[in-house]
Each structure stands twice: as structure tokens, then as C-alpha cells.
Amino acid sequence: MKRLLLLGIALMALLLSGCKKNDVKPGDAVSDYYAFIDQMKESPKTYMIHSYSTIHTNPEEYASQTTASIKGNNEPNGLSINEFHLNFPAYFYNQDGDVSFGDTINHMNSLYGKKYNLKFETDYLNAKSDESIANPSGQLYIPELLYPVSYENLTADEKITVGSTIRWNKDDKNKNGILINLAYFPSTQSDLQNRIYFPEYIRKGKIVSDDGEYTFEQSDFAGFPPNADIDFTIERINHTTFQDERGDNCTFVSIDKTGAGFTISIEE
């Protein structure tokens, strides 16, 4: 648990310092999908609910990391989401960025798939899905968790190829679509030839509609070496930036990501 806590803080620190939204290419659509990164950098207060799973994760095993930040050496403000109260007393202060980060891990499955009204109280952010906040400062839809996810129409030796299909539970309320990421890491390749002749990291991203399936095309694998081991992730991300009672910006982000690893089978 402590290791996950530190990973969550490290992720937030990376987002607010060195990560750039245009690290994922090609296309402005993919860059816009990560627009929350720039907004988080500019907001004195941020919240991020992050869930990561694999295609083998069962719903009861899902855990969400909630990370909060605040400008200065201070404990981040708490978060109350449908009476689920989160506080961040064990925070980490980044002196270089003059930002404090706190993190907590909880099972929060029932909070997904709802639209929340947001409003800051004295020392915490209040988020309610029952419309009991009459004059909200902002709103955010937290999409459904990605479950189940499957990869179908593989080759006889279980490789991904043109015509293979990824399927997931569609979310009609998610208007941001699904981001499909493909990542190649030279150091993890089982094919020694790929390590030698393709020594550079490769990453490609594509936005598709959240309608429950996508079939891979030849262009999706362009630039990858044949027989490459690829990390696949699909992501639902939604975010908003609004002002608190002091007029300061606050950015709230929801990220749900499911990963898998396959070898691709393409012609040279």
C-alpha cells in the first residue's frame, strides 16, 4: 500500500512538472485528450482519481488512487464525493515546484458512471451526484469503469494483427471517446533483433468513439517492427477546471485505464 501511495504522488508530480501533452502523437485530437496536464500545472488546487487495471482484473479488485495537490507547503484540501470523505494528511512537499501532494487508495466502484456537481466548502471540495448542490461551481462526469475488456480475432499463436478487435463496455454518456495507446519498449523485447535494430521507444495513440469496440487497421501498426512486443492500454479521461470561492482555479481529473500486452504480427 505504501508503494502504491508513493507511485500516485510520483505520477502527480510528473504530470505537474515534466510531462507534456504532446508526448502522445499523432494528431491534435490526442493532444487535446491530455489537455488536463496543462490545466493542472496552472491550477493552485488539483484532484485526480486514477484507476488502473488489466484485462484480468475483477470488479471487486478495482482500487482507485485519489491524489490531491495544493500550492505551497500545506496539506491539500479534502474531498467529499457522495459522502465518501477523503483527506490527505500524509502529504509530500515538492520544494522546486512549491506544491504539496497527498494520496489515498480506496475501493470506489460505486462512484463511477455519475455526473457530479462541484463546490468548495471551507476546507474541502464537495462533489454530489444527487443535485443537492444548488449552485455548483463546476461539474464533472466520471465515466464508467472499463470492464470487461477483451482482445479477439487473434492469430493462431495469440498475436495481435490487422483485423483483431478490442472490446469494452461502452459508455453512452462519455463524450470524450476512448484513447487507445500502443507502446514499444526496446528493453522488454523478446525478439533480440528488435532490441538491436529498433532501439528507440515508440508510442502511438488514437481516439475512437466509446461504442464498445475497435478493429485494428494496418495503419495502427505502422512504424513498429514486425513481431514486436507491444503494451496496449485503453483509457477514459474526463476533466474540468473551475474556480473556488476565492477565485482560484481547481482542476479535477478522472482517469480509468486498462492495460494488456501482446506481440503484433505484421508483414515486413
Side-chain angles (χ1 to χ4, degrees):
M1 183 68 74
K2 182 178 181 181
R3 181 173 179 270
L4 290 175
L5 182 73
L6 294 175
L7 284 174
I9 292 175
L11 174 63
M12 181 72 90
L14 178 63
L15 289 174
L16 297 185
S17 57
C19 187
K20 299 178 181 179
K21 65 180 181 181
N22 59 6
D23 282 347
V24 180
K25 300 177 180 178
D28 290 339
V30 176
S31 182
D32 289 345
Y33 205 78
Y34 283 95
F36 71 90
I37 295 175
D38 286 341
Q39 295 178 20
M40 290 175 73
K41 290 179 180 179
E42 298 170 0
S43 296
K45 300 175 183 177
T46 70
Y47 296 88
M48 182 172 67
I49 296 177
H50 177 231
S51 174
Y52 181 84
S53 62
T54 73
I55 57 176
H56 305 294
T57 304
N58 295 317
E60 62 271 14
E61 299 170 324
Y62 273 75
S64 299
Q65 294 177 269
T66 303
T67 309
S69 76
I70 192 169
K71 195 71 174 175
N73 188 1
N74 303 292
E75 178 182 338
N77 294 123
L79 171 65
S80 177
I81 178 166
N82 278 0
E83 306 301 334
F84 194 93
H85 300 286
L86 302 173
N87 293 297
F88 310 93
Y91 67 90
F92 165 77
Y93 175 59
N94 183 316
Q95 187 172 2
D96 292 338
D98 190 30
V99 178
S100 296
F101 305 95
D103 201 349
T104 183
I105 300 173
N106 299 277
H107 293 280
M108 302 168 61
N109 295 9
S110 64
L111 303 181
Y112 288 84
K114 297 180 174 65
K115 182 178 180 179
Y116 291 90
N117 288 339
L118 309 172
K119 189 173 184 179
F120 262 100
E121 306 298 342
T122 303
D123 57 357
Y124 70 96
L125 175 61
N126 196 11
K128 292 288 188 66
S129 64
D130 60 2
E131 300 185 355
S132 60
I133 300 177
N135 297 301
S137 302
Q139 292 182 319
L140 177 69
Y141 175 68
I142 298 182
E144 296 278 0
L145 286 168
L146 285 160
Y147 181 86
V149 175
S150 63
Y151 290 76
E152 303 173 4
N153 303 324
L154 305 176
T155 66
D157 53 354
E158 298 294 302
K159 294 181 179 180
I160 288 278
T161 190
V162 176
S164 295
T165 299
I166 182 172
R167 301 187 190 279
W168 63 88
N169 58 316
K170 67 178 181 178
D171 185 347
D172 293 329
K173 296 179 181 179
N174 175 32
K175 305 306 180 183
N176 283 355
I178 290 283
L179 173 61
I180 299 179
N181 265 323
L182 286 71
Y184 167 90
F185 298 92
S187 62
T188 63
Q189 296 302 302
S190 56
D191 188 330
L192 182 59
Q193 297 297 311
N194 284 340
R195 295 192 188 191
I196 296 173
Y197 295 109
F198 297 88
E200 302 296 326
Y201 167 73
I202 305 171
R203 185 178 185 184
K204 296 183 68 175
K206 188 173 188 177
I207 305 292
V208 301
S209 299
D210 194 350
D211 57 9
E213 67 176 58
Y214 177 75
T215 299
F216 289 100
E217 305 169 352
Q218 186 74 39
S219 59
D220 294 325
F221 304 124
F224 291 105
N227 203 41
D229 299 318
I230 302 294
D231 287 349
F232 293 81
T233 59
I234 65 172
E235 305 176 24
R236 282 184 178 132
I237 299 177
N238 204 359
H239 57 89
T240 187
T241 296
F242 61 97
Q243 291 187 332
D244 64 13
E245 73 286 354
R246 298 179 180 178
D248 292 331
N249 282 350
C250 175
T251 297
F252 195 163
V253 182
S254 172
I255 302 176
D256 182 35
K257 182 184 303 184
T258 297
F262 287 95
T263 301
I264 60 175
S265 177
I266 56 177
E267 296 181 1
E268 298 193 38

